[in-house]
Amino acid sequence: MTKTSKNPLLAFFSSVQLALFLLFLMAGTSIIGTIIPQNAPPGRYLEQYGAKMARFMELLNLTDMYNSRWFLLLLLLFALNLIVCSLERIPQVIKIIKRDNLDTSADRLEKMGLRARVTLPGGAQEGEAHIRKVFQQQGWKPQQRQQKDGTLFFAEKGAWTRFGVYIVHLSILIVLLGALIGSSTVAKKLLRDPSFAFKGSVMIPESRQSEVIYAFKSGTPIELGFGVRCDYFTIEYYPNGMPKTYLSKVTVVEDGAEVLSTDIKVNSPLTYKGITFYQSSYQPYQDYVVTLQKGAAELQTSSIIPHSQQQQWSEAGITYGIINRENRGEVTRRVKVWLSDGQGEPSIFWVNLGQEALVERPSGSYTFQAKQLYATGLQVTKDPGVWLVYGGCILMLIGLYVAFFMSHRKLFAMLRSDGSSATILFAGSANKNKVGFEKKFEDLAGTNR
Amino acid sequence: MDSSQLFGITMIAYLLSSAFYLALFIFRNSTPGFIGMLLAAAGLLIQTVGIGLRWYESYQIGIGHAPLTNMYESLVFFSWCTALFYLAMELKYKTRVIGAFVMPFAFIALAYASFSDRINDQISPLIPALQSNWLIAHVVTCFIGYGAFAVAGSLGMIYLLKKSAGDKPAQEGLFSSLPELKIIDDLTHKTIIFGFMWLSAGIITGAIWANEAWGTYWSWDPKETWSIITWFVYALTLHARFTRGWSGTRIAWLAIIGFVAVFFTYFGVNFLLSGLHSYGSS
């Protein structure tokens, strides 16, 4: 180790104590945000904690702590610590890896944890043949060098695994970088381009189209560059009344042309041009999409109508309307329909939404179908950093595996011969999983037979 | 025979297994230890069949899904992971007496699942948010981690017990049946490493799933936050050991603190805090 005085700032950022302290601090402070509700309306804090406490919490940004400057500063310090710490240690690792192991003296071998001595009849050639056989049995390729008191054979495996922990460190930095690139705050304030990365939402009524979405929190409209039309929205239920599926059928419209139509469900979003649309909410309206058909599709009409309002279908000479409905909350279950063709008594009947009703009239038979008008609530996200985050995550798992379960193993054999017999001293070391290597070593050196 | 009956039998097997392991610990007689191991293995086998049967039952009633979707099912799975991890460890490291401190966890989880009023054991259909292939990957990775951390926490406790007894020769008899401090310490470390891998994988699969379902891979929801707190605690433990040479008592305490964090991530968040993961609370 060189004793040159280091830059104190560098020394501070390269210390493991700082890493331990930051991990402790991040773990400790993170708890706060799980106890104090985050991003609730200000009135709620006032009510729950009193004016003084609410003021204090606002001062420390505890109501949105994970986006607060002090928490982001912690993350920044953590990232700096990771970088400096790793950069300082990697040269040492390279030095260890590049060490000239053939320079190891017999005395050093004698001090290694794993040793075995074998004596064979015959000369140096027999001894070398034995050593080569032992190494090659397990696929180790030995190098050799003549030393003053014998010939040293050496082979190693997994030297690169010493970098495992730095792979993990790098992966964390990649994840943080990905998060930075995908951050809407960075896009807005640093890049001054809110459409680079954003999170927002939009409510689109059935049959309508939207070219903009609205950013979370600020509500700023963001242009999509194309339109999204909601063709249809429905909720399916299980027999016990629990919701089974929220489904939107949507069409992407670009330059006046329909580009694609698809279904969006929870867990099955639509991604188009880097922008992803998630099913996140819905809004039932007290209007109905009514489809009327005469006979076997001779005539057909479809229109959105409010309730308690008389409608004309002049083509077929029909007057109709929804005169009553049965709601559960805002969701309508069935409607009462009034329908007349001007001949005889009008037909009045209940029909469940989504089901067809067949109406026999003097002027012919009609099929009536109604569904409630919904708006689908889509969350809309553009996150150009997500693939970096995913890549970082995969790298982290690989790095953890390498760091914890793979080791740098070395195997030495010192051959000495006096013409009539050869003495071989096997020695080995591993930087991790020493027990596992011990078994292998015993197999190799033949002391296990 | 339905799955809940099988879980009932498993619960009794785990209770008896705990008792026999305890007898091994107290009387240092190897026969009860062997019986304890057999009971644990039999319980694990029956529980495995039970989980498979519950999966099958869900298809029978037409809402087929993996039995990993509510608190009841997760407790059953937690108990299964803990027992499985423990038995694998016993097989590999021949440390039978540790069962006295681990099998009670497997038993308590099952007993709580079966007897608590706030836990519903009905098979219910999946709400849209849970209808994803990530469900199995996420829950399995997390719970293997939880199971390992439960064992690590027990090992930490055993270490502290043994250590405190070391100072008092009068009690030496009781704790002398425990493995040597060095071995307990080494096992704690290995178990934490194993759990840390799986916790990382659990957080990652959860993040990917969240991005598929909610459009954001990280939203600092209490469950997510507590999982990262747990991750920080174990990351700290590993760094303290690797770079500062911490071992023994301090690591034992960290193993226990880590398990408290796991426990809070798993239970505390569901019962005490509100958030996106609320479906886990019934």
Side-chain angles (χ1 to χ4, degrees):
Chain A
M1 289 294 271
T2 50
K3 284 244 168 127
T4 48
S5 60
K6 271 197 302 188
N7 181 339
L9 198 69
L10 211 66
F12 173 72
F13 277 116
S14 69
S15 74
V16 181
Q17 282 101 319
L18 178 67
L20 296 179
F21 180 65
L22 286 173
L23 283 170
F24 175 75
L25 220 55
M26 289 192 296
T29 54
S30 293
I31 298 174
I32 301 170
T34 66
I35 295 165
I36 299 172
Q38 299 289 293
N39 295 309
R44 202 175 138 196
Y45 298 106
L46 217 61
E47 199 178 303
Q48 199 172 342
Y49 299 98
K52 227 176 188 177
M53 192 65 190
R55 174 99 191 86
F56 173 74
M57 283 172 10
E58 201 184 323
L59 204 71
L60 290 183
N61 270 319
L62 295 185
T63 56
D64 187 13
M65 67 156 276
Y66 303 110
N67 293 311
S68 71
R69 295 205 174 162
W70 63 264
F71 193 76
L72 294 179
L73 182 74
L74 269 184
L75 288 180
L76 181 73
L77 285 177
F78 182 61
L80 277 176
N81 185 212
L82 270 176
I83 295 170
V84 178
C85 205
S86 303
L87 284 182
E88 203 193 50
R89 280 165 180 74
I90 285 173
Q92 297 173 22
V93 175
I94 292 176
K95 224 163 103 187
I96 293 176
I97 290 174
K98 289 203 163 164
R99 176 179 292 158
D100 181 12
N101 288 287
L102 286 171
D103 200 27
T104 314
S105 69
D107 290 348
R108 285 278 306 280
L109 297 188
E110 292 285 2
K111 286 185 191 117
M112 285 190 181
L114 298 173
R115 288 184 319 277
R117 203 177 294 275
V118 182
T119 309
L120 298 169
Q125 274 181 344
E126 282 81 358
E128 183 175 339
H130 178 74
I131 291 173
R132 292 204 172 274
K133 202 183 83 198
V134 162
F135 273 75
Q136 272 151 16
Q137 260 171 11
Q138 301 276 348
W140 298 66
K141 289 188 185 70
Q143 299 168 289
Q144 68 184 84
R145 186 184 293 166
Q146 189 64 44
Q147 289 191 3
K148 64 176 174 1
D149 42 4
T151 312
L152 181 65
F153 292 78
F154 169 76
E156 64 185 338
K157 276 187 176 175
W160 65 276
T161 63
R162 288 184 181 267
F163 287 112
V165 61
Y166 304 104
I167 298 177
V168 178
H169 288 178
L170 178 69
S171 76
I172 294 172
L173 292 170
I174 292 175
V175 169
L176 290 175
L177 181 69
L180 210 63
I181 292 175
S183 153
S184 53
T185 316
V186 170
K188 206 159 57 188
K189 298 204 171 138
L190 239 59
L191 305 176
R192 300 189 183 286
D193 178 14
S195 63
F196 181 74
F198 55 80
K199 279 191 174 32
S201 65
V202 64
M203 203 47 116
I204 313 174
E206 284 170 305
S207 80
R208 299 292 174 76
Q209 180 177 326
S210 179
E211 280 86 21
V212 291
I213 64 110
Y214 302 92
F216 283 150
K217 286 189 189 172
S218 67
T220 326
I222 294 168
E223 295 279 341
L224 290 173
F226 53 87
V228 176
R229 188 177 72 222
C230 173
D231 297 319
Y232 178 79
F233 175 85
T234 186
I235 309 173
E236 287 166 28
Y237 294 91
Y238 289 109
N240 70 357
M242 275 171 64
K244 183 181 180 187
T245 314
Y246 302 107
L247 176 110
S248 300
K249 287 183 184 296
V250 298
T251 300
V252 174
V253 183
E254 200 169 8
D255 302 325
E258 296 186 357
V259 183
L260 72 97
S261 289
T262 188
D263 293 351
I264 298 178
K265 290 190 278 187
V266 182
N267 273 309
S268 142
L270 156 71
T271 302
Y272 183 72
K273 292 203 164 168
I275 301 175
T276 310
F277 299 82
Y278 302 85
Q279 183 68 58
S280 74
S281 67
Y282 62 93
Q283 173 68 51
Y285 291 108
Q286 301 309 310
D287 292 331
Y288 302 89
V289 186
V290 169
T291 312
L292 265 169
Q293 187 181 311
K294 183 175 185 184
E298 288 165 43
L299 284 172
Q300 197 172 351
T301 182
S302 182
S303 47
I304 296 170
I305 63 165
H307 64 93
S308 311
Q309 205 180 80
Q310 192 171 302
Q311 306 291 324
Q312 293 288 340
W313 182 19
S314 39
E315 256 180 300
I318 292 283
T319 313
Y320 67 99
I322 290 172
I323 54 173
N324 200 357
R325 64 229 161 96
E326 196 179 282
N327 271 18
R328 187 186 289 176
E330 287 185 294
V331 177
T332 304
R333 292 299 162 115
R334 55 183 195 144
V335 290
K336 195 174 188 181
V337 182
W338 181 94
L339 189 145
S340 170
D341 55 1
Q343 304 171 32
E345 285 291 299
S347 303
I348 296 173
F349 55 92
W350 280 99
V351 60
N352 290 334
L353 293 192
Q355 283 176 10
E356 289 186 345
L358 192 66
V359 193
E360 295 293 349
R361 297 294 306 170
S363 61
S365 64
Y366 297 87
T367 317
F368 178 98
Q369 196 178 10
K371 100 176 251 313
Q372 193 166 12
L373 182 72
Y374 279 95
T376 181
L378 301 176
Q379 179 176 328
V380 189
T381 299
K382 186 178 176 193
D383 185 345
V386 74
W387 291 106
L388 265 182
V389 173
Y390 284 3
C393 287
I394 291 166
L395 194 65
M396 184 187 298
L397 291 179
I398 295 171
L400 285 172
Y401 184 81
V402 173
F404 291 142
F405 299 110
M406 294 177 85
S407 57
H408 181 194
R409 290 145 292 157
K410 296 178 181 179
L411 184 63
F412 299 85
M414 178 69 87
L415 172 68
R416 290 190 190 96
S417 158
D418 60 4
S420 61
S421 73
T423 312
I424 306 166
L425 172 66
F426 285 103
S429 70
N431 66 333
K432 270 169 289 178
N433 187 21
K434 296 193 165 68
V435 182
F437 185 63
E438 194 176 332
K439 287 207 182 90
K440 190 135 201 178
F441 180 81
E442 283 166 0
D443 287 344
L444 277 167
T447 49
N448 206 18
R449 272 166 224 160
Chain B
M1 177 76 49
D2 66 18
S3 59
S4 55
Q5 283 169 302
L6 289 179
F7 295 144
I9 298 170
T10 309
M11 184 177 73
I12 295 164
Y14 286 170
L15 175 65
L16 292 174
S17 158
S18 305
F20 276 99
Y21 275 124
L22 210 62
L24 164 71
F25 169 56
I26 295 168
F27 303 115
R28 270 167 289 158
N29 182 328
S30 63
T31 317
F34 184 67
I35 297 173
M37 187 275 287
L38 284 184
L39 279 163
L44 184 67
L45 195 72
I46 295 166
Q47 194 177 14
T48 311
V49 175
I51 291 172
L53 185 60
R54 190 170 167 99
W55 203 332
Y56 175 76
E57 284 164 0
S58 78
Y59 277 94
Q60 291 294 97
I61 57 174
I63 49 174
H65 59 75
L68 304 167
T69 61
N70 57 21
M71 190 46 107
Y72 176 82
E73 290 171 343
S74 87
L75 279 165
V76 169
F77 191 61
F78 172 71
S79 143
W80 185 82
C81 285
T82 307
L84 178 69
F85 185 85
Y86 168 70
L87 281 173
M89 193 176 86
E90 183 184 310
L91 198 71
K92 187 161 178 200
Y93 297 106
K94 316 270 179 275
T95 49
R96 187 159 284 165
V97 69
I98 288 168
F101 298 84
V102 176
M103 288 315 290
F105 280 111
F107 161 71
I108 290 166
L110 269 187
Y112 185 68
S114 312
F115 297 128
S116 170
D117 291 340
R118 59 203 302 187
I119 287 171
N120 176 6
D121 69 352
Q122 293 300 306
I123 299 178
S124 45
L126 283 186
I127 60 167
L130 292 181
Q131 294 164 11
S132 167
N133 291 329
W134 287 101
L135 172 74
I136 295 178
H138 176 54
V139 177
V140 168
T141 47
C142 286
F143 276 73
I144 294 176
Y146 290 0
F149 289 140
V151 172
S154 310
L155 285 165
M157 241 159 42
I158 294 172
Y159 186 94
L160 294 178
L161 273 177
K162 172 110 178 165
K163 176 105 185 185
S164 67
D167 300 335
K168 297 175 220 148
Q171 286 199 352
E172 205 186 288
L174 185 56
F175 294 104
S176 61
S177 56
L178 292 171
E180 276 177 57
L181 285 177
K182 225 180 81 185
I183 294 175
I184 305 174
D185 182 56
D186 186 51
L187 279 180
T188 311
H189 177 61
K190 287 202 168 93
T191 310
I192 288 177
I193 284 179
F194 183 84
F196 190 71
M197 274 292 291
W198 288 98
L199 176 66
S200 305
I203 293 175
I204 289 170
T205 49
I208 298 174
W209 184 10
N211 197 38
E212 291 278 297
W214 300 321
T216 172
Y217 50 82
W218 196 262
S219 52
W220 294 103
D221 141 84
K223 193 82 154 186
E224 290 172 352
T225 309
W226 269 99
S227 73
I228 203 77
I229 290 169
T230 308
W231 194 86
F232 286 148
V233 171
Y234 285 111
L236 186 117
T237 308
L238 292 172
H239 281 85
R241 190 181 183 100
F242 280 129
T243 63
R244 311 292 307 160
W246 283 27
S247 66
T249 310
R250 288 194 272 197
I251 295 290
W253 273 112
L254 282 169
I256 293 169
I257 293 169
F259 184 61
V260 171
V262 168
F263 190 80
F264 202 84
T265 308
Y266 180 16
F267 270 99
V269 172
N270 289 1
F271 289 134
L272 302 175
L273 309 169
S274 60
L276 294 166
H277 264 86
S278 50
Y279 34 74
S281 63
S282 57

